[in-house]
Amino acid sequence: MSSAEEARLRALEAKVCSFGDTVHYVDHPPIFTGCDGSYMYDREGTPYLDLQMWYSVANFGYRNERLNNVVKRTLDTLPQIASQYLHRGEIELAAMIAEDMERKFGMAGRVHFNVGGAQAIEDSLKVVRNACDGKSLMFAFEGGYHGRTLGASAITSSYRYRRRYGHFGEKALFVEFPYHFRNGRGMEKEEYASAIVKRFARLFETEYNGLWDPKTRQCEYAAFYAEPVQGTGGYIIPPMNFFKELKQVLDDHNVLFVVDEIHMGMYRTGKLWAIEHYGVKPDVLTFGKAITNGLNPLAGLWAREELINPERFPAGSTHSSFNSNPLGTDVALEIMKMCAEKDYETSVAEKGKRFLDGLKWLMGRHDAIGEVDGLGLALRIEVCQPEDRWTPNKALLDKMVDIALSGGLEHNGKKIGLIPNIGGYYKNVFTLAPSLDISHAEIDLAIELFDQLFTRAARA
Ligand SMILES: Cc1ncc(COP(=O)(O)O)c(C=O)c1O
């Protein structure tokens, strides 16, 4: 693509594309023309090491040959079928997910498909409300993100996503998430997490606390929505006691536990589902994003049999023309098979440790890093003021993003770019989601490029 063609496309975009359907985080986003493995390429062929991987969608690398071949095969056999009919891919995929859930959590259940993450959340709200006789109130976490449809926005903590549209239902009651670096100073992580659960449990102490009727043992709230590790919130990793203690309170008060694995599922944290680290059982689990490596939209949910059997949740309870589309289900099935063959549990944990060691080394060199942390290949760098290494420093992070996306970093005398992802309550956190197949050399390169970025941005 020539520079004139790029200029033409930019002018056209400014005129005809809605800005409302994306974040437009930077003023001048690069136009990419190719991708492969862990890299995106611009029109000059400059590589950009991608540490975002399409918001943890392309976990298995860009243009993954094995997965692309499945799409090509399906294109030549059964690429289209109305969602009211059946095909092998959807049934076998549902079976693989349901059997895995039964093996890990000891519960029978069913899998229900839709197209995007937010739609899967909408469907989960229907499953929950239906199971709880129409109760419509939910708990969710401060800093949580569940998508931007109207229902999903109501259980996502940011008012920003609701402002301008009015309310279409009750918003969730948002409970503090164990964000130890910001809110738990002076306490051990586990002690801080327990204190949050104790504060939450207080809401159920007597009928006067407002949401529990001890006589009927009924809670006014139907379910608690949780990301095991907060994604958009800044890759915040709760300590291992947190969900066990929280789940005990939920079980004691008949509140369902809905686990949103749309971001952290598919081995991002080193387990198929991030909740597996925490030793608790979900009642409903939502998935999306990396389930197809981004090749064709597919998302969905698993729910316990009691909540979703056909008598409880009959045919047509939800519907989308595109759900269970064979391009999506066939590639997702292949991913599940690939994951069963490859030992991602070991490799993601090992690569994650190498990456986190590199981030700790960076922290020793740059005072603007307040905290680094990681679970598998979900890693975080919190960018702060150098004086106290705590006050959020979004201005420095923004400078770093501009430099990274300009493609003007250097490696072995050649130009290279870096694709970061930004998250966190103060938008001062690099949330790193590299390819799960990232090589050791690429991890070391990522550390080297971050080292350059911190140095250059501090000088700029
Ligand atoms: C935890 C979580 N849930 C739901 C969603 C919404 O998914 P989608 O963007 O596919 O609608 C996201 C998207 O980032 C997410 O991170």
Side-chain angles (χ1 to χ4, degrees):
M1 190 198 295
S2 66
S3 61
E5 175 64 355
E6 178 168 337
R8 186 186 72 80
L9 287 174
R10 284 194 187 280
L12 206 54
E13 193 254 356
K15 193 166 166 217
V16 301
C17 292
S18 164
F19 279 31
D21 63 0
T22 184
V23 288
H24 271 267
Y25 192 88
V26 289
D27 290 337
H28 204 68
I31 295 184
F32 290 117
T33 54
C35 60
D36 192 39
S38 286
Y39 292 92
M40 302 290 296
Y41 295 89
D42 67 14
R43 64 180 177 79
E44 291 171 332
T46 305
Y48 291 67
L49 179 64
D50 196 334
L51 300 179
Q52 175 189 65
M53 296 307 287
W54 190 353
Y55 325 117
S56 199
V57 165
N59 282 10
F60 305 98
Y62 294 122
R63 290 176 49 216
N64 180 308
E65 199 181 343
R66 173 169 173 174
L67 304 179
N68 283 15
N69 283 340
V70 171
V71 176
K72 288 175 192 163
R73 192 186 66 210
T74 302
L75 271 176
D76 288 336
T77 50
L78 183 75
Q80 292 130 314
I81 177 172
S83 53
Q84 78 196 84
Y85 304 120
L86 299 176
H87 55 96
R88 178 192 287 269
E90 72 175 304
I91 299 169
E92 290 193 343
L93 174 60
M96 267 196 103
I97 295 172
E99 283 161 17
D100 179 81
M101 291 298 287
E102 188 146 10
R103 217 172 22 253
K104 286 174 180 158
F105 297 110
M107 295 181 291
R110 290 170 191 261
V111 176
H112 180 104
F113 293 111
N114 208 320
V115 189
Q119 288 97 326
I121 291 289
E122 296 290 330
D123 290 355
S124 73
L125 286 165
K126 282 192 177 177
V127 169
V128 165
R129 284 178 174 215
N130 178 65
C132 299
D133 299 324
K135 270 187 205 170
S136 58
L137 300 182
M138 309 291 153
F139 297 110
F141 281 115
E142 285 173 12
Y145 182 86
H146 301 286
R148 297 211 198 171
T149 52
L150 296 167
S153 300
I155 56 166
T156 290
S157 66
S158 303
Y159 169 47
R160 186 160 73 85
Y161 304 140
R162 291 184 294 275
R163 195 177 66 79
R164 300 188 287 137
Y165 311 116
H167 285 107
F168 291 83
E170 305 272 352
K171 67 173 185 172
L173 177 63
F174 297 107
V175 174
E176 182 177 349
F177 194 73
Y179 187 178
H180 181 263
F181 176 70
R182 289 262 148 241
N183 303 321
R185 289 204 145 183
M187 292 170 107
E188 292 297 319
K189 284 187 178 175
E190 288 73 16
E191 184 191 0
Y192 165 59
S194 294
I196 291 178
V197 175
K198 281 204 187 87
R199 277 198 293 278
F200 175 63
R202 223 186 60 78
L203 297 175
F204 298 88
E205 238 168 57
T206 76
E207 68 175 272
Y208 296 96
N209 298 61
L211 44 82
W212 170 245
D213 178 356
K215 289 200 182 110
T216 59
R217 299 197 55 75
Q218 283 274 330
C219 178
E220 200 171 11
Y221 285 69
F224 201 128
Y225 273 75
E227 295 166 83
V229 170
Q230 279 193 341
T232 308
Y235 284 24
I236 305 170
I237 303 157
M240 292 301 154
N241 62 325
F242 180 63
F243 284 111
K244 267 204 194 110
E245 293 178 17
L246 178 74
K247 183 69 165 48
Q248 189 60 56
V249 179
L250 301 182
D251 287 348
D252 290 347
H253 300 96
N254 303 317
V255 178
L256 296 175
F257 186 46
V258 183
V259 176
D260 182 346
E261 294 276 2
I262 291 164
H263 201 127
M264 290 294 158
M266 305 311 295
Y267 290 98
R268 171 57 51 210
T269 67
K271 302 269 186 201
L272 176 61
W273 310 122
I275 198 67
E276 291 174 45
H277 291 282
Y278 291 93
V280 291
K281 297 179 186 186
D283 294 299
V284 178
L285 180 149
T286 56
F287 57 82
K289 286 189 188 266
I291 189 102
T292 64
N293 208 32
L295 288 176
N296 218 62
L298 187 81
L301 63 87
W302 170 95
R304 277 199 290 115
E305 180 69 8
E306 296 90 304
L307 309 178
I308 201 172
N309 67 67
E311 288 74 46
R312 252 260 178 228
F313 206 64
S317 295
T318 82
H319 181 260
S320 160
S321 297
F322 295 133
N323 53 329
S324 320
N325 65 81
L327 288 166
T329 54
D330 287 2
V331 76
L333 179 61
E334 191 67 18
I335 288 177
M336 292 295 289
K337 286 181 184 163
M338 187 175 79
C339 290
E341 286 163 25
K342 286 184 161 194
D343 186 4
Y344 277 114
E345 287 209 5
T346 305
S347 67
V348 170
E350 183 269 321
K351 288 175 184 181
K353 181 179 178 313
R354 187 184 183 97
F355 214 130
L356 188 56
D357 286 346
L359 297 183
K360 287 179 184 160
W361 174 82
L362 275 179
M363 195 167 162
R365 288 172 55 82
H366 301 280
D367 291 346
I369 302 180
E371 191 199 48
V372 296
D373 201 1
L375 186 62
L377 282 167
L379 299 132
R380 73 192 310 269
I381 307 174
E382 181 128 4
V383 182
C384 300
Q385 297 294 346
E387 299 74 47
D388 59 4
R389 302 191 90 153
W390 191 75
T391 307
N393 193 349
K394 179 175 179 306
L396 181 67
L397 176 135
D398 286 346
K399 268 192 222 162
M400 292 174 70
V401 171
D402 285 343
I403 300 170
L405 291 179
S406 73
L409 295 167
E410 268 177 37
H411 177 60
N412 290 341
K414 290 203 178 121
K415 273 179 64 179
I416 187 167
L418 186 79
I419 304 183
N421 198 34
I422 296 100
Y425 298 14
Y426 301 88
K427 294 286 168 264
N428 69 318
V429 180
F430 284 115
T431 51
L432 309 181
S435 163
L436 304 186
D437 291 320
I438 191 169
S439 67
H440 284 178
E442 287 165 345
I443 292 173
D444 298 347
L445 175 62
I447 302 299
E448 179 193 322
L449 295 179
F450 264 113
D451 193 33
Q452 276 183 45
L453 265 183
F454 273 105
T455 307
R456 283 209 208 173
R459 280 200 213 118

